[in-house]
């Protein structure tokens, strides 16, 4: 718990806007609020780990169960289909019943699904377990983004945008950790049981989930923004005292507090949110499509470029994620602190377009210089994803919607991201088989389209705090 400065005058809390103003005015560093942010990012770590796990092991799954291309598509896309359901459900539940309740419950999905997937006796159990895992991922991301936005100041170092951008390096840290774990298990497993590698990596996902459950139960708290929006001003006061050490009190009510705002997807398509929802939708679909094309198929792409075996492929995947994607994500946190969200996103999409067109032109390089340039373009794409689209796809919706529909908006956008990923997982193997590296021409469109929408819709979410009603409107 944070220490309360009793010498400071007690601040009256009469509305949700008062909560935003108090948090934004805090100049001191707060360790308790940082713990909540850290735990929210811990959920993101697990989300990324579970989504990355089969990016290498899918070939062994195909061999073990004798899968047809259709069943392979179902195995790889089932987790994405689960995220669509989880995003819609989780976002709505988070705004309806609170961040804390949903955040404490969703880890159970990871534990159960990781064990079921790792021990799956047949392909149908694996598909069902991955679908359940996807629901857990889908529920976790909207509530995690709500926590990151609502336990941070709007401006200054370590602000809302910067902490929301932190989800991206955390995601790539998890992706790198996943490859590192696969790398370690590759040596630990007996050679005669090398085909157990995909099972072991899936089972390992239950371990961090159990750890996060244990830690969350001790440190997590409800969002003071959400409590105030529900009319629970005394609860908001308590959380401000516990999490920030703010000496506050509930202001005497001059009139009956308003009823809690209705949680509805329809609100996302009403003014002033309609255009923001459109941009959020386009960004999520396009980013997830091209991310899946590059990141999920990265091991097989590298195997084609390098003509390498298992050891070299895993090593190269780990190196690219750590050197380019993670570094780009760290840069994204700094850029989010200083520059408008739209500008950073456009710059990242432009670099990705250049990288994808270059990969399409290179094709299958034979000379060492060509291979080096192809791998460098993959690195450029990952670097641009880290600082640009990857970070902004969470910053834009989380700061475009107020507290009462924030998780719903993020969840809706992420559900469309799941559609983009599921579509990519299902059709890209077919496109790759038919066109080879020419598929990069098609994928490049997913980097170009969002630029147009960001140029047309000029709303900038980092211009003002949408939770502070005392600020002037757009």
């Amino acid at each position: 718990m944070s220490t309360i400065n009793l010498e400071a005058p007690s601040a009256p809390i009469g509305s949700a806007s008062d909560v935003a103003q108090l948090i934004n005015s805090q100049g001191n560093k707060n360790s308790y609020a940082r713990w909540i942010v850290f735990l929210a990012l811990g959920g993101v770590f697990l989300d990324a780990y579970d989504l990355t796990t089969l990016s290498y092991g899918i070939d062994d799954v195909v061999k073990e169960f004798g899968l047809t291309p259709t069943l392979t598509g179902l195995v790889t896309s089932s987790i994405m289909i689960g995220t669509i359901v989880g995003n819609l459900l989780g976002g709505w539940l988070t705004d309806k019943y609170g961040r804390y309740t949903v955040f404490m419950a969703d880890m159970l999905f990871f534990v159960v699904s990781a064990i079921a997937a790792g021990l799956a006796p047949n392909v149908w159990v694996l598909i069902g377990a991955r679908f359940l895992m996807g629901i857990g991922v889908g529920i976790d991301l909207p509530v995690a983004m709500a926590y990151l936005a609502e336990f941070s100041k709007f401006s200054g170092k370590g602000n809302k945008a910067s902490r929301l951008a932190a989800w991206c390096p955390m995601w790539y840290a998890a992706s790198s950790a996943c490859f590192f774990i696969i790398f370690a298990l590759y040596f630990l497993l007996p050679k005669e049981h090398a085909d157990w590698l995909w099972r072991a990596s899936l089972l390992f996902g239950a371990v961090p989930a159990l750890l996060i459950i244990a830690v969350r139960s001790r440190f997590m708290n409800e969002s003071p923004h959400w409590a105030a929006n529900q009319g629970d001003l005394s609860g908001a006061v308590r959380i401000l005292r516990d999490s920030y050490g703010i000496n506050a009190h509930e202001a005497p009510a001059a009139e009956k507090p308003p009823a809690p705002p209705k949680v509805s997807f329809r609100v996302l398509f009403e003014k002033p949110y309609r255009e923001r929802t459109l941009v959020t939708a386009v960004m999520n679909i396009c980013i997830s499509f091209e991310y899946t094309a590059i990141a999920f198929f990265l091991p097989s792409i590298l195997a084609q470029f390098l003509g390498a075996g298992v050891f070299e492929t895993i090593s190269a995947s780990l190196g690219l994620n750590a050197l380019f994607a993670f570094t780009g994500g760290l840069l994204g946190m700094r850029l989010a602190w200083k520059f408008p969200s739209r500008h950073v996103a456009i710059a990242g999409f432009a670099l990705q377009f250049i990288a994808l067109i270059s990969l399409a032109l290179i094709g299958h390089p034979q000379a060492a210089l060509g291979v080096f340039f192809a791998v460098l373009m993959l690195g450029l794409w990952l670097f641009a994803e880290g600082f640009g689209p990857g970070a902004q796809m969470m910053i834009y919706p989380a700061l475009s919607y107020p507290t009462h529909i924030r998780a719903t908006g993020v969840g809706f956008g992420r559900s469309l991201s799941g559609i983009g990923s599921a579509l990519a997982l299902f059709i890209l193997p077919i496109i790759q088989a038919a066109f080879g590296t020419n598929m990069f021409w098609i994928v490049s469109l997913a980097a170009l389209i969002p630029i147009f929408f960001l140029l047309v819709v000029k709303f900038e979410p980092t211009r003002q705090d949408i939770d502070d009603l005392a600020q002037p409107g757009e």
Side-chain angles (χ1 to χ4, degrees), residues 134-196:
I135 292 179
V137 172
I139 291 175
D140 195 73
L141 279 172
V143 67
M145 295 307 108
Y147 265 123
L148 293 176
E150 293 164 17
F151 275 87
S152 306
K153 298 185 297 181
F154 182 71
S155 60
K157 192 173 182 179
N159 62 11
K160 291 177 184 284
S162 179
R163 285 183 171 175
L164 284 163
W167 93 280
C168 204
M170 180 61 75
W171 188 278
Y172 282 114
S175 300
S176 299
C178 180
F179 283 114
F180 181 79
I181 290 168
I182 293 173
F183 187 75
L185 291 172
Y186 174 76
F187 286 102
L188 291 174
L189 287 172
K191 289 185 178 180
E192 62 270 20
H193 295 301
D195 56 338
W196 290 0

Side-chain angles (χ1 to χ4, degrees), residues 331 335 339-355 380-381 383-385 387-389 392 447 450-451 454-455:
L331 175 63
L335 294 178
F339 297 100
S341 172
R342 289 173 58 252
H343 297 177
V344 178
I346 290 171
F349 279 123
L351 283 178
Q352 287 185 320
F353 180 75
I354 292 172
L380 175 63
W381 187 95
F383 181 75
E385 173 75 4
F387 81 76
Q392 301 306 319
I451 296 177
L454 286 165
L455 290 173

Side-chain angles (χ1 to χ4, degrees), residues 217-441:
S217 64
R218 180 178 179 183
F219 289 102
M220 292 306 289
N221 210 335
E222 184 54 80
S223 160
H225 291 275
W226 185 85
N229 264 273
Q230 299 301 303
D232 183 13
L233 297 180
S234 61
V237 167
R238 176 188 58 79
I239 298 166
L240 287 172
R241 287 172 174 263
D242 291 346
S243 299
Y244 288 92
I246 295 176
N247 189 15
H249 66 274
E250 183 178 354
E255 57 185 30
K256 184 179 179 181
K262 185 178 181 180
V263 180
S264 171
F265 288 101
R266 186 182 65 184
V267 179
L268 302 178
F269 299 93
E270 297 174 350
K271 284 194 172 292
Y273 309 118
R274 185 184 304 150
E275 291 183 337
R276 306 173 199 180
T277 300
L278 177 62
V279 174
T280 296
V282 171
M283 286 179 65
N284 273 275
I285 291 174
C286 291
I287 291 171
S288 62
F289 186 89
E290 61 171 323
Y291 175 84
T292 303
I294 301 298
F296 190 88
F297 292 100
L298 184 60
S300 60
I301 292 172
L302 288 172
Q304 291 181 24
F305 283 170
L306 303 176
V310 174
F311 177 82
E312 293 83 359
T313 300
I314 296 176
S315 299
S317 299
L318 176 61
L320 282 172
N321 270 285
L323 292 176
F324 291 98
F326 182 70
T327 303
L330 293 178
L331 175 63
M333 293 176 62
R334 186 168 183 83
L335 294 178
W337 172 42
K338 293 188 173 183
F339 297 100
S341 172
R342 289 173 58 252
H343 297 177
V344 178
I346 290 171
F349 279 123
L351 283 178
Q352 287 185 320
F353 180 75
I354 292 172
L356 290 167
I357 291 298
S358 299
L359 287 168
L361 291 171
I362 293 169
H364 286 283
Q366 302 297 324
L369 183 61
V371 171
F372 173 79
F373 187 71
V375 174
L376 185 64
M377 288 300 100
L378 285 173
L380 175 63
W381 187 95
L382 289 167
F383 181 75
E385 173 75 4
F387 81 76
Q392 301 306 319
M393 72 185 296
M394 291 300 183
I395 293 175
Y396 192 94
L399 299 186
S400 293
Y401 303 114
T403 296
H404 71 279
I405 56 169
R406 173 170 289 123
T408 303
V410 173
F412 175 75
R414 289 298 299 171
S415 70
L416 296 178
S417 178
I419 292 174
S421 295
L423 180 65
L425 286 168
F426 193 77
I427 70 170
L428 281 176
I430 300 172
I431 295 175
Q432 187 182 31
F435 299 103
T437 56
N438 281 326
M439 77 170 187
F440 290 122
W441 289 108

